[in-house]
Amino acid sequence: MKRRKFIQLSSKSSIALSALSFHYVLPFISSCFTSDQLNTIHLNEMKDWHIIVSSDAIPNERYAAEEFQRLFKAITSSELKIDTETGDKRAIYIGKSALNQPHSLNFTTSTLGEEGLHIRVDKDKLLIAGGRPRGTLYGVYEFFERYSGVRFLTADHTYVPQNASDISIPLVDFIYVPQFFFRWSYYE
């Protein structure tokens, strides 16, 4: 009879112990990795990445890679190298090079028109591409405006926020197709 009570107490106490463990340990474990940390990347983490642009890229795509390099350096003080070969490294793929990668599943620009853009941010890669001829360049500018706080105020002044390299960039798949076929800012 005493043994039976011991077993009953043992099962009750193990249930209580499990409940206490679940109540106190799970929040501790989940606080170690917040959903924000799991679903974001910091610009500082990208300092050793390379910018990959296709060897047969059009001039606007090469310029988009140079603009990414320039804006990234303005934010982080680190200059990324521009390559045409991917290798096995974490990288930023600009233009056609983003479409030619095996990891670019469902990454397309065929429905974007000339000025639409597609941005995909993952932990080990950033893909920016758009319609030809201007979409990829607009994608680079959109990335820095939307996710880094950069503002293109006038033709000769770009605002770069302080400590922008500490900004968390969400892991996203962003597509934008403009409502207008052509952009023109000059009025007569």
Side-chain angles (χ1 to χ4, degrees):
M1 185 86 171
K2 285 185 179 183
R3 185 159 174 82
R4 186 173 177 150
K5 284 184 180 179
F6 177 75
I7 292 172
Q8 288 176 347
L9 287 175
S10 175
S11 73
K12 286 180 185 177
S13 61
S14 69
I15 292 171
L17 184 60
S18 296
L20 283 174
S21 297
F22 185 76
H23 182 71
Y24 288 107
V25 175
L26 186 61
F28 172 74
I29 292 171
S30 65
S31 69
C32 292
F33 301 101
T34 64
S35 62
D36 184 48
Q37 290 172 328
L38 295 175
N39 296 319
T40 62
I41 187 168
H42 294 284
L43 282 178
N44 281 332
E45 296 176 48
M46 299 168 70
K47 285 184 176 182
D48 61 338
W49 292 19
H50 290 237
I51 300 170
I52 307 298
V53 64
S54 178
S55 58
D56 62 342
I58 63 173
N60 277 353
E61 290 173 342
R62 282 193 288 281
Y63 180 68
E66 292 166 3
E67 281 291 275
F68 192 99
Q69 182 184 47
R70 180 183 69 82
L71 292 167
F72 190 86
K73 184 176 181 180
I75 293 171
T76 64
S77 301
S78 296
E79 186 167 348
L80 300 176
K81 184 178 177 190
I82 298 176
D83 287 329
T84 56
E85 299 291 325
T86 60
D88 291 331
K89 54 189 164 235
R90 298 165 70 175
I92 298 122
Y93 297 92
I94 304 287
K96 188 176 179 183
S97 65
L99 303 173
N100 294 336
Q101 300 307 312
H103 56 1
S104 61
L105 184 65
N106 297 328
F107 189 84
T108 182
T109 59
S110 61
T111 60
L112 300 178
E114 291 181 359
E115 298 185 352
L117 55 100
H118 192 163
I119 300 170
R120 180 176 294 157
V121 182
D122 288 330
K123 281 288 188 186
D124 60 346
K125 63 188 163 292
L126 169 61
L127 309 173
I128 301 176
R132 286 184 166 186
R134 295 172 292 276
T136 300
L137 180 60
Y138 292 156
V140 167
Y141 292 145
E142 183 69 23
F143 172 80
F144 282 103
E145 276 193 322
R146 182 173 292 269
Y147 304 116
S148 302
V150 172
R151 298 292 178 255
F152 303 97
L153 302 176
T154 65
D156 61 347
H157 183 72
T158 300
Y159 169 76
V160 177
Q162 293 180 347
N163 300 324
S165 61
D166 296 330
I167 292 174
S168 295
I169 299 170
L171 304 182
V172 296
D173 193 15
F174 177 77
I175 298 173
Y176 176 73
V177 179
Q179 298 297 314
F180 296 100
F181 175 71
F182 186 74
R183 300 176 195 198
W184 188 260
S185 60
Y186 300 102
Y187 302 101
E188 294 181 24

PDB file of all heavy atoms in Angstrom, residues 37-62:
ATOM      1  N   GLN A  37      15.354  38.102 -34.039  1.00  0.00           N
ATOM      2  CA  GLN A  37      16.694  37.659 -34.397  1.00  0.00           C
ATOM      3  C   GLN A  37      16.665  36.554 -35.440  1.00  0.00           C
ATOM      4  O   GLN A  37      17.543  36.453 -36.273  1.00  0.00           O
ATOM      5  CB  GLN A  37      17.428  37.156 -33.157  1.00  0.00           C
ATOM      6  CG  GLN A  37      17.789  38.254 -32.186  1.00  0.00           C
ATOM      7  CD  GLN A  37      18.334  37.690 -30.897  1.00  0.00           C
ATOM      8  OE1 GLN A  37      17.948  36.615 -30.464  1.00  0.00           O
ATOM      9  NE2 GLN A  37      19.233  38.429 -30.278  1.00  0.00           N
ATOM     10  N   LEU A  38      15.658  35.717 -35.393  1.00  0.00           N
ATOM     11  CA  LEU A  38      15.573  34.614 -36.339  1.00  0.00           C
ATOM     12  C   LEU A  38      15.112  35.073 -37.713  1.00  0.00           C
ATOM     13  O   LEU A  38      15.396  34.421 -38.703  1.00  0.00           O
ATOM     14  CB  LEU A  38      14.613  33.540 -35.812  1.00  0.00           C
ATOM     15  CG  LEU A  38      15.061  32.845 -34.530  1.00  0.00           C
ATOM     16  CD1 LEU A  38      13.973  31.907 -34.037  1.00  0.00           C
ATOM     17  CD2 LEU A  38      16.358  32.095 -34.737  1.00  0.00           C
ATOM     18  N   ASN A  39      14.420  36.197 -37.790  1.00  0.00           N
ATOM     19  CA  ASN A  39      13.828  36.651 -39.042  1.00  0.00           C
ATOM     20  C   ASN A  39      14.453  37.934 -39.564  1.00  0.00           C
ATOM     21  O   ASN A  39      13.836  38.635 -40.349  1.00  0.00           O
ATOM     22  CB  ASN A  39      12.321  36.836 -38.861  1.00  0.00           C
ATOM     23  CG  ASN A  39      11.646  35.528 -38.555  1.00  0.00           C
ATOM     24  OD1 ASN A  39      11.973  34.505 -39.140  1.00  0.00           O
ATOM     25  ND2 ASN A  39      10.713  35.554 -37.621  1.00  0.00           N
ATOM     26  N   THR A  40      15.654  38.252 -39.120  1.00  0.00           N
ATOM     27  CA  THR A  40      16.324  39.465 -39.584  1.00  0.00           C
ATOM     28  C   THR A  40      17.811  39.202 -39.797  1.00  0.00           C
ATOM     29  O   THR A  40      18.352  38.199 -39.365  1.00  0.00           O
ATOM     30  CB  THR A  40      16.193  40.623 -38.561  1.00  0.00           C
ATOM     31  OG1 THR A  40      16.822  40.236 -37.341  1.00  0.00           O
ATOM     32  CG2 THR A  40      14.749  40.999 -38.322  1.00  0.00           C
ATOM     33  N   ILE A  41      18.436  40.156 -40.464  1.00  0.00           N
ATOM     34  CA  ILE A  41      19.888  40.169 -40.622  1.00  0.00           C
ATOM     35  C   ILE A  41      20.329  41.619 -40.483  1.00  0.00           C
ATOM     36  O   ILE A  41      19.600  42.534 -40.866  1.00  0.00           O
ATOM     37  CB  ILE A  41      20.312  39.564 -41.985  1.00  0.00           C
ATOM     38  CG1 ILE A  41      21.828  39.434 -42.056  1.00  0.00           C
ATOM     39  CG2 ILE A  41      19.755  40.351 -43.140  1.00  0.00           C
ATOM     40  CD1 ILE A  41      22.328  38.614 -43.210  1.00  0.00           C
ATOM     41  N   HIS A  42      21.496  41.848 -39.915  1.00  0.00           N
ATOM     42  CA  HIS A  42      22.032  43.200 -39.760  1.00  0.00           C
ATOM     43  C   HIS A  42      22.982  43.500 -40.914  1.00  0.00           C
ATOM     44  O   HIS A  42      23.652  42.608 -41.431  1.00  0.00           O
ATOM     45  CB  HIS A  42      22.789  43.336 -38.442  1.00  0.00           C
ATOM     46  CG  HIS A  42      21.928  43.214 -37.240  1.00  0.00           C
ATOM     47  ND1 HIS A  42      21.101  44.221 -36.819  1.00  0.00           N
ATOM     48  CD2 HIS A  42      21.731  42.199 -36.378  1.00  0.00           C
ATOM     49  CE1 HIS A  42      20.444  43.836 -35.744  1.00  0.00           C
ATOM     50  NE2 HIS A  42      20.807  42.602 -35.456  1.00  0.00           N
ATOM     51  N   LEU A  43      23.052  44.755 -41.291  1.00  0.00           N
ATOM     52  CA  LEU A  43      23.995  45.140 -42.342  1.00  0.00           C
ATOM     53  C   LEU A  43      25.428  44.805 -41.947  1.00  0.00           C
ATOM     54  O   LEU A  43      26.243  44.461 -42.794  1.00  0.00           O
ATOM     55  CB  LEU A  43      23.867  46.630 -42.650  1.00  0.00           C
ATOM     56  CG  LEU A  43      22.679  47.045 -43.509  1.00  0.00           C
ATOM     57  CD1 LEU A  43      22.652  48.550 -43.694  1.00  0.00           C
ATOM     58  CD2 LEU A  43      22.703  46.366 -44.854  1.00  0.00           C
ATOM     59  N   ASN A  44      25.744  44.909 -40.651  1.00  0.00           N
ATOM     60  CA  ASN A  44      27.096  44.568 -40.189  1.00  0.00           C
ATOM     61  C   ASN A  44      27.469  43.126 -40.508  1.00  0.00           C
ATOM     62  O   ASN A  44      28.632  42.811 -40.696  1.00  0.00           O
ATOM     63  CB  ASN A  44      27.225  44.800 -38.681  1.00  0.00           C
ATOM     64  CG  ASN A  44      27.429  46.250 -38.349  1.00  0.00           C
ATOM     65  OD1 ASN A  44      27.965  47.005 -39.150  1.00  0.00           O
ATOM     66  ND2 ASN A  44      27.008  46.657 -37.169  1.00  0.00           N
ATOM     67  N   GLU A  45      26.479  42.231 -40.537  1.00  0.00           N
ATOM     68  CA  GLU A  45      26.736  40.826 -40.844  1.00  0.00           C
ATOM     69  C   GLU A  45      27.102  40.633 -42.318  1.00  0.00           C
ATOM     70  O   GLU A  45      27.601  39.570 -42.696  1.00  0.00           O
ATOM     71  CB  GLU A  45      25.508  39.979 -40.518  1.00  0.00           C
ATOM     72  CG  GLU A  45      25.136  39.954 -39.053  1.00  0.00           C
ATOM     73  CD  GLU A  45      23.855  39.186 -38.808  1.00  0.00           C
ATOM     74  OE1 GLU A  45      23.724  38.066 -39.329  1.00  0.00           O
ATOM     75  OE2 GLU A  45      22.983  39.713 -38.106  1.00  0.00           O
ATOM     76  N   MET A  46      26.858  41.645 -43.138  1.00  0.00           N
ATOM     77  CA  MET A  46      27.097  41.528 -44.576  1.00  0.00           C
ATOM     78  C   MET A  46      28.442  42.135 -44.998  1.00  0.00           C
ATOM     79  O   MET A  46      28.755  42.175 -46.181  1.00  0.00           O
ATOM     80  CB  MET A  46      25.955  42.228 -45.327  1.00  0.00           C
ATOM     81  CG  MET A  46      24.596  41.619 -45.053  1.00  0.00           C
ATOM     82  SD  MET A  46      23.218  42.637 -45.635  1.00  0.00           S
ATOM     83  CE  MET A  46      23.405  42.476 -47.389  1.00  0.00           C
ATOM     84  N   LYS A  47      29.257  42.570 -44.043  1.00  0.00           N
ATOM     85  CA  LYS A  47      30.500  43.257 -44.374  1.00  0.00           C
ATOM     86  C   LYS A  47      31.507  42.411 -45.137  1.00  0.00           C
ATOM     87  O   LYS A  47      32.345  42.945 -45.852  1.00  0.00           O
ATOM     88  CB  LYS A  47      31.154  43.804 -43.104  1.00  0.00           C
ATOM     89  CG  LYS A  47      30.475  45.032 -42.558  1.00  0.00           C
ATOM     90  CD  LYS A  47      31.219  45.567 -41.361  1.00  0.00           C
ATOM     91  CE  LYS A  47      30.598  46.855 -40.873  1.00  0.00           C
ATOM     92  NZ  LYS A  47      31.339  47.422 -39.743  1.00  0.00           N
ATOM     93  N   ASP A  48      31.453  41.098 -44.990  1.00  0.00           N
ATOM     94  CA  ASP A  48      32.404  40.241 -45.702  1.00  0.00           C
ATOM     95  C   ASP A  48      31.790  39.581 -46.938  1.00  0.00           C
ATOM     96  O   ASP A  48      32.404  38.723 -47.557  1.00  0.00           O
ATOM     97  CB  ASP A  48      32.969  39.178 -44.757  1.00  0.00           C
ATOM     98  CG  ASP A  48      31.896  38.269 -44.189  1.00  0.00           C
ATOM     99  OD1 ASP A  48      30.724  38.673 -44.158  1.00  0.00           O
ATOM    100  OD2 ASP A  48      32.228  37.147 -43.774  1.00  0.00           O
ATOM    101  N   TRP A  49      30.598  39.981 -47.300  1.00  0.00           N
ATOM    102  CA  TRP A  49      29.933  39.442 -48.484  1.00  0.00           C
ATOM    103  C   TRP A  49      30.519  40.091 -49.742  1.00  0.00           C
ATOM    104  O   TRP A  49      31.236  41.083 -49.674  1.00  0.00           O
ATOM    105  CB  TRP A  49      28.431  39.706 -48.426  1.00  0.00           C
ATOM    106  CG  TRP A  49      27.690  38.944 -47.365  1.00  0.00           C
ATOM    107  CD1 TRP A  49      28.205  38.353 -46.252  1.00  0.00           C
ATOM    108  CD2 TRP A  49      26.287  38.728 -47.315  1.00  0.00           C
ATOM    109  NE1 TRP A  49      27.207  37.777 -45.514  1.00  0.00           N
ATOM    110  CE2 TRP A  49      26.018  37.992 -46.143  1.00  0.00           C
ATOM    111  CE3 TRP A  49      25.231  39.075 -48.130  1.00  0.00           C
ATOM    112  CZ2 TRP A  49      24.740  37.600 -45.780  1.00  0.00           C
ATOM    113  CZ3 TRP A  49      23.953  38.694 -47.767  1.00  0.00           C
ATOM    114  CH2 TRP A  49      23.708  37.956 -46.611  1.00  0.00           C
ATOM    115  N   HIS A  50      30.184  39.524 -50.893  1.00  0.00           N
ATOM    116  CA  HIS A  50      30.584  40.080 -52.187  1.00  0.00           C
ATOM    117  C   HIS A  50      29.323  40.443 -52.963  1.00  0.00           C
ATOM    118  O   HIS A  50      28.269  39.840 -52.772  1.00  0.00           O
ATOM    119  CB  HIS A  50      31.388  39.060 -52.990  1.00  0.00           C
ATOM    120  CG  HIS A  50      32.743  38.806 -52.428  1.00  0.00           C
ATOM    121  ND1 HIS A  50      33.888  38.982 -53.153  1.00  0.00           N
ATOM    122  CD2 HIS A  50      33.155  38.405 -51.207  1.00  0.00           C
ATOM    123  CE1 HIS A  50      34.933  38.687 -52.410  1.00  0.00           C
ATOM    124  NE2 HIS A  50      34.507  38.327 -51.223  1.00  0.00           N
ATOM    125  N   ILE A  51      29.458  41.408 -53.855  1.00  0.00           N
ATOM    126  CA  ILE A  51      28.381  41.759 -54.775  1.00  0.00           C
ATOM    127  C   ILE A  51      28.640  40.990 -56.056  1.00  0.00           C
ATOM    128  O   ILE A  51      29.725  41.094 -56.641  1.00  0.00           O
ATOM    129  CB  ILE A  51      28.347  43.271 -55.047  1.00  0.00           C
ATOM    130  CG1 ILE A  51      28.133  44.045 -53.750  1.00  0.00           C
ATOM    131  CG2 ILE A  51      27.261  43.600 -56.074  1.00  0.00           C
ATOM    132  CD1 ILE A  51      28.318  45.552 -53.885  1.00  0.00           C
ATOM    133  N   ILE A  52      27.659  40.219 -56.488  1.00  0.00           N
ATOM    134  CA  ILE A  52      27.804  39.411 -57.701  1.00  0.00           C
ATOM    135  C   ILE A  52      26.928  40.015 -58.791  1.00  0.00           C
ATOM    136  O   ILE A  52      25.731  40.207 -58.603  1.00  0.00           O
ATOM    137  CB  ILE A  52      27.383  37.948 -57.463  1.00  0.00           C
ATOM    138  CG1 ILE A  52      28.114  37.354 -56.255  1.00  0.00           C
ATOM    139  CG2 ILE A  52      27.597  37.119 -58.723  1.00  0.00           C
ATOM    140  CD1 ILE A  52      29.604  37.281 -56.382  1.00  0.00           C
ATOM    141  N   VAL A  53      27.557  40.326 -59.914  1.00  0.00           N
ATOM    142  CA  VAL A  53      26.842  40.822 -61.077  1.00  0.00           C
ATOM    143  C   VAL A  53      27.274  39.969 -62.274  1.00  0.00           C
ATOM    144  O   VAL A  53      28.441  39.596 -62.374  1.00  0.00           O
ATOM    145  CB  VAL A  53      27.089  42.338 -61.304  1.00  0.00           C
ATOM    146  CG1 VAL A  53      28.532  42.623 -61.613  1.00  0.00           C
ATOM    147  CG2 VAL A  53      26.174  42.911 -62.335  1.00  0.00           C
ATOM    148  N   SER A  54      26.338  39.633 -63.112  1.00  0.00           N
ATOM    149  CA  SER A  54      26.615  38.756 -64.244  1.00  0.00           C
ATOM    150  C   SER A  54      27.648  39.374 -65.183  1.00  0.00           C
ATOM    151  O   SER A  54      27.687  40.595 -65.366  1.00  0.00           O
ATOM    152  CB  SER A  54      25.305  38.491 -64.994  1.00  0.00           C
ATOM    153  OG  SER A  54      25.530  37.697 -66.119  1.00  0.00           O
ATOM    154  N   SER A  55      28.468  38.538 -65.788  1.00  0.00           N
ATOM    155  CA  SER A  55      29.479  39.039 -66.725  1.00  0.00           C
ATOM    156  C   SER A  55      28.831  39.639 -67.974  1.00  0.00           C
ATOM    157  O   SER A  55      29.428  40.477 -68.637  1.00  0.00           O
ATOM    158  CB  SER A  55      30.450  37.927 -67.117  1.00  0.00           C
ATOM    159  OG  SER A  55      29.743  36.855 -67.696  1.00  0.00           O
ATOM    160  N   ASP A  56      27.608  39.219 -68.296  1.00  0.00           N
ATOM    161  CA  ASP A  56      26.907  39.788 -69.449  1.00  0.00           C
ATOM    162  C   ASP A  56      25.794  40.752 -69.021  1.00  0.00           C
ATOM    163  O   ASP A  56      24.824  40.951 -69.746  1.00  0.00           O
ATOM    164  CB  ASP A  56      26.357  38.683 -70.346  1.00  0.00           C
ATOM    165  CG  ASP A  56      25.328  37.809 -69.650  1.00  0.00           C
ATOM    166  OD1 ASP A  56      25.272  37.830 -68.406  1.00  0.00           O
ATOM    167  OD2 ASP A  56      24.578  37.115 -70.351  1.00  0.00           O
ATOM    168  N   ALA A  57      25.963  41.371 -67.858  1.00  0.00           N
ATOM    169  CA  ALA A  57      24.974  42.327 -67.357  1.00  0.00           C
ATOM    170  C   ALA A  57      24.930  43.571 -68.240  1.00  0.00           C
ATOM    171  O   ALA A  57      25.943  43.976 -68.819  1.00  0.00           O
ATOM    172  CB  ALA A  57      25.315  42.731 -65.929  1.00  0.00           C
ATOM    173  N   ILE A  58      23.756  44.171 -68.330  1.00  0.00           N
ATOM    174  CA  ILE A  58      23.630  45.419 -69.074  1.00  0.00           C
ATOM    175  C   ILE A  58      24.239  46.543 -68.229  1.00  0.00           C
ATOM    176  O   ILE A  58      24.431  46.387 -67.016  1.00  0.00           O
ATOM    177  CB  ILE A  58      22.152  45.705 -69.441  1.00  0.00           C
ATOM    178  CG1 ILE A  58      21.282  45.888 -68.193  1.00  0.00           C
ATOM    179  CG2 ILE A  58      21.594  44.589 -70.331  1.00  0.00           C
ATOM    180  CD1 ILE A  58      19.869  46.337 -68.479  1.00  0.00           C
ATOM    181  N   PRO A  59      24.553  47.687 -68.827  1.00  0.00           N
ATOM    182  CA  PRO A  59      25.191  48.777 -68.081  1.00  0.00           C
ATOM    183  C   PRO A  59      24.406  49.213 -66.834  1.00  0.00           C
ATOM    184  O   PRO A  59      25.016  49.518 -65.813  1.00  0.00           O
ATOM    185  CB  PRO A  59      25.277  49.913 -69.113  1.00  0.00           C
ATOM    186  CG  PRO A  59      25.362  49.205 -70.426  1.00  0.00           C
ATOM    187  CD  PRO A  59      24.495  47.984 -70.267  1.00  0.00           C
ATOM    188  N   ASN A  60      23.076  49.253 -66.897  1.00  0.00           N
ATOM    189  CA  ASN A  60      22.298  49.654 -65.725  1.00  0.00           C
ATOM    190  C   ASN A  60      22.457  48.678 -64.563  1.00  0.00           C
ATOM    191  O   ASN A  60      22.410  49.080 -63.401  1.00  0.00           O
ATOM    192  CB  ASN A  60      20.816  49.808 -66.075  1.00  0.00           C
ATOM    193  CG  ASN A  60      20.510  51.152 -66.674  1.00  0.00           C
ATOM    194  OD1 ASN A  60      21.356  52.030 -66.726  1.00  0.00           O
ATOM    195  ND2 ASN A  60      19.285  51.320 -67.145  1.00  0.00           N
ATOM    196  N   GLU A  61      22.627  47.382 -64.846  1.00  0.00           N
ATOM    197  CA  GLU A  61      22.826  46.404 -63.774  1.00  0.00           C
ATOM    198  C   GLU A  61      24.219  46.554 -63.158  1.00  0.00           C
ATOM    199  O   GLU A  61      24.372  46.443 -61.939  1.00  0.00           O
ATOM    200  CB  GLU A  61      22.610  44.987 -64.305  1.00  0.00           C
ATOM    201  CG  GLU A  61      21.157  44.701 -64.624  1.00  0.00           C
ATOM    202  CD  GLU A  61      20.931  43.372 -65.318  1.00  0.00           C
ATOM    203  OE1 GLU A  61      21.894  42.787 -65.872  1.00  0.00           O
ATOM    204  OE2 GLU A  61      19.779  42.917 -65.313  1.00  0.00           O
ATOM    205  N   ARG A  62      25.223  46.849 -63.973  1.00  0.00           N
ATOM    206  CA  ARG A  62      26.562  47.096 -63.427  1.00  0.00           C
ATOM    207  C   ARG A  62      26.545  48.367 -62.578  1.00  0.00           C
ATOM    208  O   ARG A  62      27.148  48.421 -61.502  1.00  0.00           O
ATOM    209  CB  ARG A  62      27.592  47.205 -64.552  1.00  0.00           C
ATOM    210  CG  ARG A  62      28.001  45.843 -65.108  1.00  0.00           C
ATOM    211  CD  ARG A  62      29.242  45.940 -65.981  1.00  0.00           C
ATOM    212  NE  ARG A  62      28.996  46.587 -67.267  1.00  0.00           N
ATOM    213  CZ  ARG A  62      28.442  45.988 -68.312  1.00  0.00           C
ATOM    214  NH1 ARG A  62      28.068  44.741 -68.232  1.00  0.00           N
ATOM    215  NH2 ARG A  62      28.256  46.637 -69.433  1.00  0.00           N
TER     216      ARG A  62
END
